[in-house]
Amino acid sequence: MEARDVMNKEMQRTLLEDVAREAEVSTASVSRVLNRAPHVSKRLRERVEAAIDRLGYVPDGTARALASRRIGAIGALVPTLDNPIFSAMIDSLERRLKRHDCRLLIATYRYDLDDELQALRTLIQQGVDGVVLVGHDHRPAALTLLQRRQLPFLTCWHAEDDPDWPGIGFDNTAPARHLAEHLLMLGHRRLAVVSAPTDGNDRARARLEGFRQAAEAAGCPLPPERIVKVDYGIAEGAEAFESLMGLDRRPTAILCGNDTLAFGVMLAAQRAGLQVPREISITGFDDLPQARFMSPPLTTVAVPAGEIGRQVADGLIARIDGVTTPHRRLLDAPLVLRESTGPAPTD
Amino acid sequence: MEARDVMNKEMQRTLLEDVAREAEVSTASVSRVLNRAPHVSKRLRERVEAAIDRLGYVPDGTARALASRRIGAIGALVPTLDNPIFSAMIDSLERRLKRHDCRLLIATYRYDLDDELQALRTLIQQGVDGVVLVGHDHRPAALTLLQRRQLPFLTCWHAEDDPDWPGIGFDNTAPARHLAEHLLMLGHRRLAVVSAPTDGNDRARARLEGFRQAAEAAGCPLPPERIVKVDYGIAEGAEAFESLMGLDRRPTAILCGNDTLAFGVMLAAQRAGLQVPREISITGFDDLPQARFMSPPLTTVAVPAGEIGRQVADGLIARIDGVTTPHRRLLDAPLVLRESTGPAPTD
DNA sequence: TTGTATGCGTTATCAC
DNA sequence: GTGATAACGCATACAA
């Protein structure tokens, strides 16, 4: 019994103290070597490093976190990872953070801002050194929380100018407007939009706004019935197409909030026997890898997901280190004109 | 100066001790309420909760982690998040972990097992309560690390029987074999394979093995020149197709290691003027959302990525709580026969 | 059921 | 440069 208890005791891990004893130096010195502090003699460093190797010592992250007040990890709040454009960003974010010796905690919230706020609370409680958020649509309490804690944070994706939210991203409105202008220039006058739900999603709203601006400027505004909002998905895009085809005056071009919806719309159009772009033009947004392989290849906007991940990593790390970085950084999101758009059909 | 120093001092956060004072109870009692310990009177609980609300107290995760020896987060090591089949799994994993009040640290390693080992070290040092790995291909040191620390862990995706690696997943070989048998039954005799690189990827190896088994059993083994290994990607699949078409005796069916490669192969085939499946049959593996929307719809294997995420979450949490769970859990990965496969062409 | 006191493994602030 | 030693904020064995 006694013996078993002894056996059960987690074999005692070697502590910093053990290293100090082995190297015959103080614990403070070991800590200094560990943290690459300045003013440590080469001789001392070598002794300590030797002792560490000999004992196979591994510092305890939790103790380090408590004493130093940083855990070596940031938190990222994203709507979902089920959308490849977000997982691409997270992938590059994590890879870049690794360079800075920083880990990544992720939390998803399905576009539910209350869930996001709750997840943020949890991350803060966890002790993350910084936070990444998507867009500027958040509960006011989220901002309060971050500011009160003086926690470094950065938004991404949606780089609208906003004094509250520093961010790295791109303009969602302008490219959307350009897409619509491209169609208008091709002679289209009855445009339609298939958008993602806009609640808690300022990117979707901004794109919709861009479509609207161009349409109105051209004197052919978008009536409500030609704006369909559906959840993310190919099938959802197809359904949106069906509903648009039920209209009296069918659109000759459909602007989609993302490539996946556009893919669904394109399939449904072809299933309905329509030629793209001869009879109907279709645009996407994201430039997913498959966009250029669709038939016809999809006209869309190239969202710099990978670049955002990298720049957000660098920017947030800088802020954590107390370096002031630009409040806002605008990346390029160029139009990619392919063959899914063409001249409006001459009725 | 003095004043500024005072100002600069992080406004002192309220501590558990403050709550205890406010509620006029001991710190131990506050801790008990926080941790929902048994044997706490309703009256005391209410007093403490009231005090917590009044002070807006938030427990410090790092201190809690150091004292309790668990951080409330697990680590997941995945090859990449750039492949939607993995991000789908991570998405469901994270959502399910949330139910258990557990966070998720992710690390990617690009199929480089040395990187994986390094990332595992980092996660362990960080203090994660458990680890999720993909497949059974890992450096031996990884297993040693996990065992020595007695750290709960679970593999996923590849549910081969292996005493070292407990896991939840599916059989990669059998469905692959069945795909090949399906083609053989359709009269195909010259099969080819477009596989992902097999280094550090036992799933890719297992699938290839399944293809081989069926081919050999049918008396038409796969010669090396009809097995092409390429990186993940649509363009890569297309290139693989080109190289297969350079062979003297062209295959009549191509088995692909995943849907993305299959998509590339299919596009290249059509670009080359071949009818699918009349002139060539093509299969995938994963059943990504777009598989059923390809033209023709792709014959493939439905990988239960979401279900794996959920079951891994539940299983790992159970292990962390000391509950013994089955060493191995096999999920279903059914064939999905669609229109990309058909009778072999009669020369 | 509740309180007391110690431990968790580092970092960081002082002296020297 | 280096060494004592006091935080860091909470959990928990033990006592009451």
Side-chain angles (χ1 to χ4, degrees):
Chain A
M1 201 64 164
E2 176 88 319
R4 217 190 69 193
D5 279 349
V6 171
M7 290 305 292
N8 274 352
K9 275 194 200 311
E10 208 177 295
M11 83 208 74
Q12 55 200 35
R13 319 191 310 113
T14 58
L15 308 180
L16 183 145
E17 187 186 342
D18 302 323
V19 176
R21 197 176 304 116
E22 174 82 9
E24 296 178 292
V25 298
S26 72
T27 59
S29 292
V30 177
S31 179
R32 287 193 188 97
V33 172
L34 248 41
N35 297 293
R36 320 187 183 300
H39 310 307
V40 279
S41 69
K42 186 173 178 183
R43 194 174 138 283
L44 193 148
R45 179 192 332 283
E46 283 166 355
R47 287 177 61 113
V48 171
E49 280 170 351
I52 287 177
D53 285 349
R54 241 173 294 143
L55 273 52
Y57 167 71
V58 176
D60 179 314
T62 65
R64 187 192 283 248
L66 177 58
S68 69
R69 325 265 328 115
R70 54 205 152 86
I71 69 170
I74 66 152
L77 288 160
V78 293
T80 172
L81 287 178
D82 234 341
N83 180 336
I85 201 73
F86 285 130
S87 51
M89 186 268 281
I90 292 293
D91 188 89
S92 73
L93 175 65
E94 190 272 339
R95 289 214 277 163
R96 191 61 157 246
L97 286 172
K98 197 175 293 180
R99 282 198 199 176
H100 298 285
D101 194 33
C102 182
R103 262 63 56 199
L104 177 63
L105 272 159
I106 56 158
T108 63
Y109 57 87
R110 308 277 135 185
Y111 294 99
D112 180 323
L113 298 187
D114 291 315
D115 279 2
E116 187 200 27
L117 177 58
Q118 186 47 48
L120 174 60
R121 284 209 182 89
T122 307
L123 287 176
I124 290 178
Q125 181 163 343
Q126 200 79 12
V128 292
D129 302 325
V131 175
V132 176
L133 305 121
V134 176
H136 300 167
D137 255 18
H138 311 286
R139 292 281 175 250
L143 186 59
T144 312
L145 233 53
L146 292 166
Q147 289 176 336
R148 187 124 62 202
R149 297 273 179 153
Q150 302 194 102
L151 199 60
F153 66 94
L154 218 45
T155 70
C156 65
W157 224 260
H158 190 49
E160 199 177 60
D161 204 3
D162 186 322
D164 287 335
W165 301 105
I168 293 174
F170 55 95
D171 183 349
N172 280 271
T173 305
R177 194 173 51 232
H178 296 152
L179 279 175
E181 287 166 353
H182 164 64
L183 291 172
L184 291 160
M185 204 137 39
L186 288 168
H188 294 271
R189 284 299 171 269
R190 284 201 305 281
L191 306 182
V193 173
V194 176
S195 167
T198 49
D199 284 357
N201 185 340
D202 50 9
R203 287 83 64 204
R205 279 205 306 281
R207 294 174 192 181
L208 186 49
E209 176 59 20
F211 298 148
R212 272 212 174 93
Q213 285 176 5
E216 283 177 15
C220 43
L222 288 163
E225 68 270 19
R226 270 200 253 120
I227 298 178
V228 185
K229 294 183 186 173
V230 290
D231 285 334
Y232 183 85
I234 299 172
E236 284 74 6
E239 286 164 20
F241 175 83
E242 314 290 358
S243 84
L244 285 173
M245 286 303 104
L247 295 177
D248 284 343
R249 309 195 64 209
R250 296 179 171 184
T252 64
I254 302 180
L255 295 146
C256 301
N258 59 62
D259 283 3
T260 300
L261 289 177
F263 186 38
V265 166
M266 183 136 65
L267 291 173
Q270 291 166 340
R271 203 185 292 153
L274 293 181
Q275 296 269 348
V276 180
R278 209 171 53 73
E279 298 173 90
I280 189 160
S281 286
I282 296 168
T283 68
F285 208 115
D286 281 348
D287 197 24
L288 294 184
Q290 61 256 43
R292 57 180 289 246
F293 295 107
M294 294 182 191
S295 57
L298 186 67
T299 289
T300 186
V301 174
V303 166
E307 188 59 22
I308 288 176
R310 285 184 289 275
Q311 295 215 18
V312 165
D314 293 345
L316 189 54
I317 292 292
R319 281 168 179 254
I320 290 170
D321 292 341
V323 180
T324 52
T325 69
H327 183 74
R328 177 170 173 243
R329 169 155 282 156
L330 214 54
L331 304 183
D332 212 32
L335 246 61
V336 183
L337 301 182
R338 298 205 182 94
E339 288 76 57
S340 68
T341 48
T346 54
D347 289 304
Chain B
M1 202 62 165
E2 176 89 319
R4 217 189 67 192
D5 280 348
V6 170
M7 292 303 294
N8 274 352
K9 276 195 195 311
E10 207 177 298
M11 84 208 77
Q12 55 198 34
R13 319 191 310 116
T14 57
L15 308 180
L16 183 143
E17 188 185 343
D18 303 321
V19 176
R21 196 176 305 115
E22 172 81 9
E24 297 179 289
V25 299
S26 72
T27 59
S29 292
V30 176
S31 179
R32 288 192 188 99
V33 171
L34 249 40
N35 296 294
R36 317 186 186 303
H39 312 306
V40 279
S41 71
K42 189 174 176 183
R43 194 174 139 283
L44 192 148
R45 180 194 329 284
E46 284 166 356
R47 287 177 61 112
V48 171
E49 282 170 349
I52 288 177
D53 285 348
R54 239 172 296 143
L55 274 53
Y57 167 71
V58 177
D60 180 313
T62 64
R64 190 195 282 254
L66 178 58
S68 69
R69 324 274 316 120
R70 57 208 148 87
I71 69 170
I74 66 153
L77 290 159
V78 293
T80 172
L81 286 179
D82 234 341
N83 180 335
I85 201 73
F86 286 130
S87 50
M89 187 268 282
I90 292 293
D91 188 88
S92 73
L93 174 65
E94 190 271 339
R95 290 215 277 162
R96 190 61 157 244
L97 286 173
K98 198 174 294 181
R99 283 199 198 176
H100 298 285
D101 195 34
C102 182
R103 260 65 55 201
L104 177 63
L105 273 158
I106 56 160
T108 63
Y109 57 88
R110 308 279 136 180
Y111 294 99
D112 180 324
L113 298 187
D114 291 316
D115 280 0
E116 187 200 29
L117 177 58
Q118 186 47 48
L120 174 61
R121 284 208 182 89
T122 305
L123 288 177
I124 290 177
Q125 182 163 341
Q126 200 79 8
V128 292
D129 302 325
V131 174
V132 177
L133 306 120
V134 176
H136 300 165
D137 255 17
H138 311 286
R139 292 283 175 248
L143 185 60
T144 311
L145 232 52
L146 292 166
Q147 289 174 337
R148 187 123 60 200
R149 296 272 179 151
Q150 301 194 103
L151 198 60
F153 66 95
L154 218 46
T155 71
C156 65
W157 225 259
H158 190 51
E160 199 178 60
D161 204 3
D162 186 320
D164 287 336
W165 300 104
I168 293 174
F170 56 94
D171 184 349
N172 280 272
T173 306
R177 195 173 51 233
H178 296 151
L179 278 175
E181 288 165 352
H182 163 65
L183 291 171
L184 291 160
M185 204 139 34
L186 288 168
H188 294 272
R189 284 298 170 270
R190 285 200 305 281
L191 306 182
V193 173
V194 176
S195 167
T198 50
D199 285 356
N201 186 341
D202 50 9
R203 289 81 66 205
R205 281 205 305 281
R207 293 174 192 181
L208 186 49
E209 175 60 20
F211 298 148
R212 273 213 172 92
Q213 285 176 5
E216 283 175 13
C220 44
L222 288 163
E225 68 271 19
R226 273 201 252 119
I227 298 178
V228 184
K229 294 184 188 174
V230 290
D231 285 335
Y232 182 86
I234 299 172
E236 285 74 4
E239 286 165 21
F241 175 83
E242 315 289 359
S243 86
L244 285 172
M245 286 305 105
L247 296 178
D248 283 342
R249 311 197 63 210
R250 295 180 172 184
T252 64
I254 301 180
L255 295 145
C256 302
N258 59 61
D259 283 3
T260 298
L261 289 176
F263 186 37
V265 167
M266 183 137 59
L267 290 173
Q270 292 166 342
R271 201 185 294 153
L274 292 182
Q275 296 269 347
V276 180
R278 208 171 56 73
E279 297 172 273
I280 189 159
S281 286
I282 297 167
T283 68
F285 208 114
D286 280 346
D287 198 22
L288 294 184
Q290 61 255 42
R292 57 180 289 247
F293 295 107
M294 295 180 190
S295 56
L298 186 67
T299 289
T300 186
V301 174
V303 167
E307 187 60 20
I308 288 176
R310 285 184 288 277
Q311 294 216 18
V312 164
D314 293 344
L316 189 54
I317 293 293
R319 281 169 179 253
I320 290 170
D321 291 341
V323 179
T324 53
T325 69
H327 183 74
R328 176 171 173 242
R329 168 155 282 157
L330 215 53
L331 304 183
D332 212 32
L335 248 61
V336 183
L337 300 182
R338 298 204 182 95
E339 287 78 58
S340 69
T341 47
T346 53
D347 289 303

